[in-house]
Amino acid sequence: MTAVSAPSAADAPAGNPLWTFGFALIPAGITAGLLLLLPAVSAGQAVELVIPWVPSLGISAGFRVDALGLLFALMIAGIGTFVFLYAAEYMRGYANKLRFFILLTLFMVSMLGVVLADNLILMFVFWEMTTITSFLLIGFSHNKAVSRQSALQGLLVTGAGGLALLAGLLLLGIAAGSFDVSTLLADDVDVRTHGLYTAVLVLVLIGAFTKSAQFPLHFWLPNAMAAPTPVSAYLHSATMVKAGVYLLARLHPVLGGTDAWLWSLTIFGSITAVLSAIWALQQTDLKQMLAYTTVMALGTLVMFLGSGSEAGVAAAVTFLVVHALYKSSLFMVVGAIDHATGTRDRDRLSGLRRGMPIIWLIAVGAGFSMAGFPPFLGFIGKELKYEGALAVASEPWLVAAAAVLANACMVATAGLICLKPFLGSPGRFDGTPHDPPAAMLIGPLLLAAAGLATGIAPEILGTSLVGPAVQAVWGDPVVVKLKLWHGINLPLMLSLLTFAAGLAIYRYRETLRGWLTTLAARLPVTAEGAYDHAIAGFKRAAAVQTALLQTGRLSRYVSVIAMSMAGLLVLALIDGGTVGFAWVPLLHALASASLLGWTAFALIAVAVPVIIWSRSRLTCICSLGAVGVAVALLFLLHGALDVALTQLLVEILFVVLLALVLVRMPRLNQGRKPRVVRRIAAVNALAVGGLVTLTLLAILNQPFDGRVTDFFEAKSVPEGYGRNIVNVILVDFRALDTLGEIAVVAAAFLAAVAVLRIFRSAGVGPADGVGTGRPATGTAPVLPADGVPAQGSTP
Amino acid sequence: MDTIVALSAGLLVAGGVYLLHAPNLMRLIFGLMLLGNAANLVLLAGGRFFGAVPPLIAEGETLVAGDPANALPQALALTAIVISFGILAFAIILVLRSYQFLGTADADAMRLAEPDTAWESPGESPGESPGESPGESR
């Protein structure tokens, strides 16, 4: 990935309207409202708002603010406030600012919906809305191909996960008997022993893992850095990617605690955490480094949510806050560096401390929290992580080792981001380093300061939010004490080990990067490569399928339609149980048929093969006329006088029309199909024809319900004032039908006239075309140079 | 009598479906005509054949005497005949004009909207493709 989001002033209007800052009032107001709820929620109450939505399906638009939801909501709205403020300044050079802020607001609302919805279906709707708004925001610079590709990739990965999640949530609702989270959390529902548990777990995990970028579906998140930096700071560090974590935390009391839960979360989480922490060191783009450390954080969160211990959950919830504070702050720092210098390449950036002192201060504050130095909140988070790792239900060494390794890399990465660009002599970049305007400073500054303040005085955070949230995740009452000094114990030793390892990695970072780059080049399979293959394969499959079905050859289409129809008729016959009807009475009926009936049938039986095989146009016209007369005869034999009359008249018109047209057409043997195609056609024809006969006989064997006809017969004279019942039906009872029929004929007539006139008015004689493009196999068509008269052809 | 109609309808459908496979558009029209006739027969047969007495009510009566034919399918068949005539007349004109315009009456050779693409095996029907049709130059 290359740096793509540096704003270009060329394609955008200058100036920065005040309303862009006004958007920050929305999250600020929401934050204030949420803070009002804080005392009640901290005391263990849940604020609920329920609006009936689809009561018949048990779906309500219910919202419920409990500690876990409030913790997330405060992060979303609180960090949102600063990101909005930052964006108002950052997006100065971009076009379509209004669209950007509306999308960002929509995203925020969807995200709040996810964490506050009390109904699984409602939550899913908001979940999908975050996917869509994320797609639009990643692809905000839509004129860049890389933005579009990244946006699509994010959409496909998280969208596919969303489908799995929907299935999982539906199964969960079926298993638990309710879609309301509050009901699920009540003790009397036990999904873990339900037969659907495994399916629910797998599907929900797919949804959560894709959204929260767990290996091997993590690659979309670093690519999502194609978005403008405020979007990355907001969606892809603090909020949207945490939705999966939220889901796991929310469903922990419902689904958690089993071996399947423990192992899948621990394994996927630890692999994700370690791999992405190492991979962050290989990046040169600061934003990419942050993206990989975000993946690392998500892996850590998942790993600890799987741990099955109070301490693990406490570590996850605390680290959630730690990460949100420092990561969004660092993203905004990187955005400011990019803004000032035009680059985010760590090799080119150095010596920024003189030009950007405040940014450096922020970077150090956030970076130290990231590295886990005391007295920052990050230190507490790290200590809790080690405590949680050692308390993991089974195989604590695995989690502890993963945590130490990932954290050591984190220390080094923090150094690369908050020290390396600022120290040393000025690097090779174009712009003059300068601190950004206040709007871009307030947010990161306050967030970094919050990391320090909550580190020094962690009790407030612990009792008001983290403790109750841990309790909500764990399900049972727990005591969470956040404090800086835990005494000299194993977690502290691990911390010291982490710092030492981190410093060593920082020292030998270039060597390590060389190794990693070599390794990356030699990897036989990468997750993103597999994704690309899958997409390419999907397109190939679509092409093959299209080539099979959409050949552009009419006969192929007809063939498919005929086969489908034959199949459906067979199904209908089997389904109706009418295959084995009585044959003998039918043969009797055949024998007793009148001579005229036999004559009509014989006429058809002779004329149809003639039409098929004759190459003479005249013979075909005559045979078609014969068929029409035969059908009219059959009508007549069954008392359908009007129908027979109409049939005869129409048949005469047809013959005239055909005769007029056919003499202008080439001979019929033109373009004969290969033998194979003709055989397929013959098989199709015999199959469909035979099945129509069988079906019709089966229908005629069924009892008849003549109530509608009885009605017409009874009402024809009293209500329709007519003695010809067919006529009364046509012009009275079903008059609207007849009107439609007339309209169809009129439309066909108008269309025919239009077709006849259209090419003439174009001024090019049709004969030109025929002269040059005539097929080689055809004999000379009889075609007058002046075409066909417009009138007279269509009656 | 039912059996005769059923056999006739099946025969017409078979002929119609076979002709629909034909590359020549005129044959396709023939096929449509046969199918239209078959459909009308099926429609009429679906209403059963009670008797050959036309559904006409004598002067001064209010009901049909005897065992009349079912009037409802007759009305439906009438509508169907007229509509199929309108559609077919239009189709015939369309076929004529496309032949004059494109220089071929072969449906598979008419490839203005769906040009032959790479995935199709070339030379499947060598005699059918017109080298260049005048329509493409417009």
Side-chain angles (χ1 to χ4, degrees), chain A residues 706-730:
Chain A
R707 276 177 293 176
V708 182
T709 306
D710 292 344
F711 170 84
F712 286 137
E713 283 175 358
K715 301 285 181 182
S716 186
V717 170
E719 293 191 8
Y721 299 103
R723 302 190 175 280
N724 183 336
I725 302 174
V726 176
N727 271 0
V728 174
I729 291 174
L730 279 176

Side-chain angles (χ1 to χ4, degrees), chain A residues 438-631:
Chain A
M440 282 174 70
L441 283 175
I442 295 171
L445 190 62
L446 285 179
L447 291 169
L452 180 62
T454 50
I456 293 170
E459 298 82 8
I460 306 169
L461 183 68
T463 51
S464 63
L465 262 181
V466 172
V470 171
Q471 189 171 326
V473 178
W474 183 241
D476 295 318
V478 285
V479 182
V480 179
K481 281 208 162 57
L482 298 187
K483 53 187 180 191
L484 268 177
W485 182 247
H486 286 246
I488 297 175
N489 52 11
L490 197 51
L492 188 68
M493 294 298 133
L494 288 177
S495 269
L496 294 177
L497 177 67
T498 309
F499 291 140
L503 290 177
I505 295 173
Y506 185 71
R507 171 77 181 76
Y508 296 107
R509 56 184 185 265
E510 293 309 323
T511 322
L512 193 64
R513 191 169 87 189
W515 291 350
L516 287 172
T517 311
T518 318
L519 179 67
R522 289 190 185 164
L523 280 180
V525 169
T526 62
E528 190 169 7
Y531 165 86
D532 289 340
H533 275 296
I535 296 293
F538 196 68
K539 284 184 184 166
R540 265 200 306 279
V544 168
Q545 185 254 84
T546 310
L548 274 177
L549 294 178
Q550 301 281 322
T551 54
R553 302 207 171 274
L554 189 60
S555 52
R556 196 79 61 90
Y557 298 155
V558 170
S559 197
V560 170
I561 293 170
M563 287 178 194
S564 312
M565 183 171 172
L568 287 174
L569 284 176
V570 167
L571 281 183
L573 282 173
I574 293 172
D575 188 48
T578 45
V579 183
F581 49 76
W583 285 96
V584 183
L586 289 175
L587 294 175
H588 274 295
L590 209 56
S592 66
S594 67
L595 189 64
L596 275 176
W598 277 109
T599 313
F601 177 72
L603 212 53
I604 291 173
V606 171
V608 168
V610 168
I611 298 167
I612 287 176
W613 279 296
S614 169
R615 296 190 183 187
S616 154
R617 288 165 288 183
L618 197 62
T619 315
C620 281
I621 294 175
C622 293
S623 304
L624 281 167
V627 168
V629 170
V631 171

Side-chain angles (χ1 to χ4, degrees), chain B residues 22-134:
Chain B
N24 187 302
L25 282 180
M26 278 321 289
R27 285 197 189 276
L28 197 123
I29 298 275
F30 298 165
L32 286 177
M33 290 174 72
L34 293 185
L35 281 180
N37 277 327
N40 292 332
L41 274 182
V42 170
L43 205 55
L44 205 69
R48 304 300 195 277
F49 303 118
F50 301 125
V53 180
L56 299 171
I57 301 170
E59 196 74 39
E61 304 279 329
T62 54
L63 283 174
V64 196
D67 194 11
N70 192 344
L72 179 62
Q74 292 192 21
L76 297 179
L78 262 178
T79 309
I81 289 172
V82 176
I83 287 184
S84 74
F85 169 70
I87 298 298
L88 276 173
F90 172 66
I92 290 171
I93 301 296
L94 200 61
V95 165
L96 173 70
R97 285 312 252 181
S98 39
Y99 167 67
Q100 292 173 343
F101 181 61
L102 297 168
T104 176
D106 180 352
D108 290 343
M110 295 180 172
R111 307 205 63 101
L112 260 187
E114 293 180 336
D116 259 317
T117 34
W119 62 66
E120 294 199 273
S121 56
E124 184 187 314
S125 43
E128 289 174 24
S129 75
E132 58 179 47
S133 67

